[in-house]
Amino acid sequence: MNETEFSIVIPLYNGERHIKECIKSALNQSFDGNFEIIVVNDGSTDKSSLILTDFKDEKLRIFNNENKGPAFSRNFGTKEALGKYIVYLDSDDILDKNALQNFYDTIADSNEDTEPDIIFAPFHIIKEHKNNSTEFRFPLKKYAGKKCFLSMKNTDGETLKGNFEPWAKAYKKEFLFKNGIEFIEAHLAEDLPFFYKAVLTSKKILVSKNPVYYYRRGHKAYLKKGKCNWVKEVIIALKKSDEIFYSFKDFKTYEKIYAKNCLNICLYWAKRFKKLENKQDFYRFSGEYLEKYRLTNQFYIKLFISNLIDILEKTLSIE
């Protein structure tokens, strides 16, 4: 096991609060094989750069770039990677100490003669806004421990139900390069087209039984006006995802699952955009975008209920 098996790629921008714990979680892997950690510092202006200088480890490779966004940083880290498999780790999250070993064991335990393109795994959500309580998530639980490769065809499209984020997965680098799978140059929702192209392209997916990741939720501030047109960026990601999905030859077979994904994505971002001045632009787009699936009414009803719940929660907290 002399070659580098895994490259952990961490995009970093102003992550001084959590980056130390994040890197330590990557360094403290139980995996005995060779792996590396690539931190792509995306022009941080806080103390992140200073914190990076505290680490002295031969497994750690640090690149300091101008600020170009998380998509550029992940693409950059992937191109620099020496590992056979890429594991993406966000700078405010934590990698389980057995993550790499779990990925490695999943490959070794399969009945296939070749290696998988993608390995999905369960994960934990850390709810920082709720006293750091955790929640276990496993979108593809029914396929856990399957020793044969999964694909869109033999799961009836259910691989599309995996989490869209790049983390809690391992991607074979050769597979990504061969198929031109990379993150679109954006600051928001850049992982959505990446997910679809990877899952639709692959016929060799495995699912690990054990959790590999801790995703931190509830600590991120609301999106602020001025830095980017956040609404426009998500719209671009949704349209790019459509372009990828509808170029898939059997898209009609799986359109119902894709449509449900689109509804959930629109609802997620509509909630994130509640404090933006141009939020109505996204609401209108979503209504029109979902019309082809006859989900426009569902979108507006669920958005109304979500906003009503928020108002009630604020009222009760005041009382």
Side-chain angles (χ1 to χ4, degrees):
M1 206 189 297
N2 292 323
E3 69 176 322
T4 303
E5 294 289 335
F6 297 99
S7 293
I8 302 170
V9 175
I10 306 173
L12 168 64
Y13 177 72
N14 288 356
E16 62 179 8
R17 185 177 174 191
H18 298 295
I19 187 58
K20 183 176 287 188
E21 183 180 20
C22 174
I23 292 176
K24 283 183 177 180
S25 76
L27 287 171
N28 294 333
Q29 289 294 298
S30 63
F31 183 60
D32 289 332
N34 292 329
F35 68 95
E36 65 174 357
I37 300 151
I38 297 175
V39 179
V40 184
N41 185 11
D42 188 33
S44 294
T45 57
D46 64 355
K47 295 180 181 178
S48 294
S49 301
L50 182 62
I51 292 170
L52 292 178
T53 62
D54 292 337
F55 288 94
K56 310 294 180 186
D57 194 293
E58 61 182 11
K59 284 183 168 55
L60 185 62
R61 298 167 62 199
I62 298 171
F63 297 89
N64 294 296
N65 295 336
E66 295 179 2
N67 180 242
K68 294 185 178 181
F72 177 87
S73 295
R74 289 197 193 101
N75 289 337
F76 180 92
T78 301
K79 290 172 184 174
E80 291 290 337
L82 302 175
K84 187 188 299 183
Y85 282 88
I86 308 296
V87 176
Y88 295 107
L89 172 60
D90 284 354
S91 62
D92 49 358
D93 295 336
I94 300 168
L95 200 62
D96 185 274
K97 67 178 182 178
N98 298 314
L100 299 187
Q101 189 63 52
N102 285 332
F103 285 133
Y104 188 82
D105 290 344
T106 301
I107 298 170
D109 291 344
S110 77
N111 294 329
E112 302 291 346
D113 295 329
T114 58
E115 295 171 325
D117 300 323
I118 312 170
I119 307 168
F120 282 82
F123 55 92
H124 296 280
I125 294 177
I126 304 174
K127 299 179 180 180
E128 194 165 286
H129 59 307
K130 294 185 178 180
N131 299 318
N132 289 326
S133 61
T134 60
E135 179 182 335
F136 180 76
R137 290 283 182 90
F138 200 172
L140 297 176
K141 183 178 180 179
K142 66 185 290 185
Y143 298 106
K146 292 280 187 181
K147 297 183 182 296
C148 59
F149 288 145
L150 306 176
S151 65
M152 287 286 291
K153 188 173 183 179
N154 65 17
T155 64
D156 293 324
E158 290 201 18
T159 48
L160 287 176
K161 295 181 179 180
N163 61 304
F164 306 128
E165 298 87 354
W167 41 258
K169 304 177 188 71
Y171 294 92
K172 194 171 186 180
K173 183 176 68 174
E174 181 184 2
F175 163 72
L176 297 179
F177 286 172
K178 181 180 178 180
N179 294 285
I181 301 169
E182 61 180 4
F183 296 92
I184 62 171
E185 297 293 335
H187 289 77
L188 210 60
E190 75 286 346
D191 47 5
L192 196 56
F194 180 93
F195 169 83
Y196 281 121
K197 190 167 186 179
V199 171
L200 290 167
T201 302
S202 177
K203 294 183 176 67
K204 298 191 295 183
I205 297 172
L206 291 176
V207 179
S208 171
K209 294 184 292 186
N210 301 311
V212 300
Y213 201 91
Y214 289 84
Y215 168 66
R216 205 182 300 270
R217 177 186 288 175
H219 67 291
K220 297 178 177 70
Y222 271 91
L223 300 167
K224 295 180 180 179
K225 177 185 175 182
K227 183 176 181 180
C228 291
N229 185 333
W230 302 115
V231 167
K232 183 179 179 180
E233 297 227 340
V234 173
I235 290 174
I236 289 172
L238 283 165
K239 288 182 176 179
K240 183 64 177 177
S241 297
D242 274 4
E243 180 184 320
I244 292 167
F245 180 75
Y246 287 108
S247 67
F248 184 62
K249 65 177 182 179
D250 298 321
F251 74 86
K252 202 68 183 175
T253 307
Y254 312 111
E255 194 171 38
K256 188 174 181 180
I257 293 176
Y258 181 74
K260 184 67 178 297
N261 283 356
C262 292
L263 172 62
N264 291 334
I265 291 162
C266 287
L267 286 167
Y268 172 82
W269 287 111
K271 189 169 184 179
R272 291 289 309 277
F273 292 155
K274 282 193 301 184
K275 294 187 178 181
L276 292 181
E277 291 180 1
N278 61 339
K279 63 184 178 183
Q280 294 295 338
D281 293 342
F282 188 73
Y283 298 167
R284 281 192 294 271
F285 165 80
S286 297
E288 294 170 1
Y289 174 73
L290 294 168
E291 182 61 38
K292 60 180 174 287
Y293 307 122
R294 298 182 180 179
L295 292 173
T296 299
N297 288 340
Q298 278 197 48
F299 170 75
Y300 285 122
I301 290 169
K302 290 188 176 185
L303 181 62
F304 173 78
I305 292 172
S306 174
N307 290 337
L308 184 61
I309 290 172
D310 286 345
I311 292 170
L312 290 172
E313 287 180 345
K314 287 180 182 178
T315 302
L316 291 172
S317 64
I318 293 172
E319 292 177 353

